[in-house]
Amino acid sequence: MASKVIHAIYNDDDLLLQAVKQVREARYHIGEVYTPFPVHGLDKVMGLAPTRLAVTSFIYGVIGLTVSVLMINYIMIEDWPQDIGGKPSFSFLQNLPAFVPIMFELTVFFAAHLMVITFYMRSKLWPFKKAENPDLRTTDDMFLMEVDAASHNIDELTKFLYDTGASEIKLIENK
């Protein structure tokens, strides 16, 4: 069974935002929107759920802090205590001010690196992955809205999209 999508190309981001609102109000399904730069408010207009990346970043920071505390305690207190600068290593709390920079750096290190890995996995950006951009002009100066047309009248949908301000429309049939 072949699926049909319509690629509507717009030349202005404000026009695209209005078109997305109109298409959603008309109850058409928008598959994806491709833009050359982030468009403020597009996620809300499309009805996308808020991201949970901030929560994962906090969790990764806590993991980094935990690893740093355990590592410092093992290395500097239990395994090989040393008298550095006249400060004996009898307990973790006595030397806590000296350990704060290391704990901070490892917290940031874990949060940053694990967030990059999470972003690539969530975006499905694997090494050597083929680009999925349907029109190269969307990396330059055009905006593309992909509308599912499988269960709709193509001519009616095309006219509707032209009325929203689309400068070009293509019917794509996937087999």
Side-chain angles (χ1 to χ4, degrees):
M1 181 173 158
S3 65
K4 296 179 184 179
V5 293
I6 289 184
H7 288 171
I9 296 180
Y10 296 87
N11 54 11
D12 184 41
D13 57 337
D14 293 327
L15 191 61
L16 173 74
L17 277 175
Q18 289 295 2
V20 169
K21 286 179 188 176
Q22 293 172 0
V23 169
R24 284 193 34 103
E25 286 172 1
R27 305 259 186 225
Y28 292 115
H29 179 261
I30 299 173
E32 188 66 63
V33 175
Y34 298 90
T35 64
F37 54 83
V39 177
H40 181 71
L42 183 61
D43 53 344
K44 290 180 183 175
V45 173
M46 286 183 65
L48 299 176
T51 180
R52 294 183 302 264
L53 286 177
V55 174
T56 59
S57 179
F58 176 75
I59 291 170
Y60 294 154
V62 169
I63 290 171
L65 182 64
T66 304
V67 167
S68 67
V69 167
L70 293 174
M71 180 186 77
I72 292 169
N73 186 53
Y74 177 73
I75 292 171
M76 297 299 291
I77 306 300
E78 294 176 17
D79 185 42
W80 195 305
Q82 297 180 28
D83 187 357
I84 299 172
K87 298 176 185 169
S89 297
F90 296 131
S91 75
F92 184 83
L93 291 177
Q94 282 180 331
N95 294 307
L96 185 62
F99 298 153
V100 168
I102 298 166
M103 294 186 317
F104 172 77
E105 291 297 330
L106 280 176
T107 300
V108 172
F109 179 85
F110 270 70
H113 286 79
L114 291 175
M115 281 303 297
V116 168
I117 293 168
T118 301
F119 173 75
Y120 284 140
M121 289 176 60
R122 181 72 178 100
S123 300
K124 298 178 184 161
L125 292 173
W126 316 116
F128 309 110
K129 182 179 185 218
K130 187 177 180 289
E132 294 179 5
N133 194 354
D135 193 332
L136 290 178
R137 294 177 292 175
T138 59
T139 62
D140 200 14
D141 63 348
M142 296 298 218
F143 304 86
L144 185 139
M145 178 172 31
E146 188 177 85
V147 181
D148 184 24
S151 60
H152 300 290
N153 182 352
I154 303 297
D155 295 331
E156 182 182 310
L157 181 56
T158 301
K159 182 182 179 327
F160 175 75
L161 289 172
Y162 273 125
D163 290 343
T164 63
S167 60
E168 182 181 327
I169 293 178
K170 291 183 200 174
L171 176 65
I172 309 293
E173 294 190 40
N174 299 327
K175 296 179 181 176

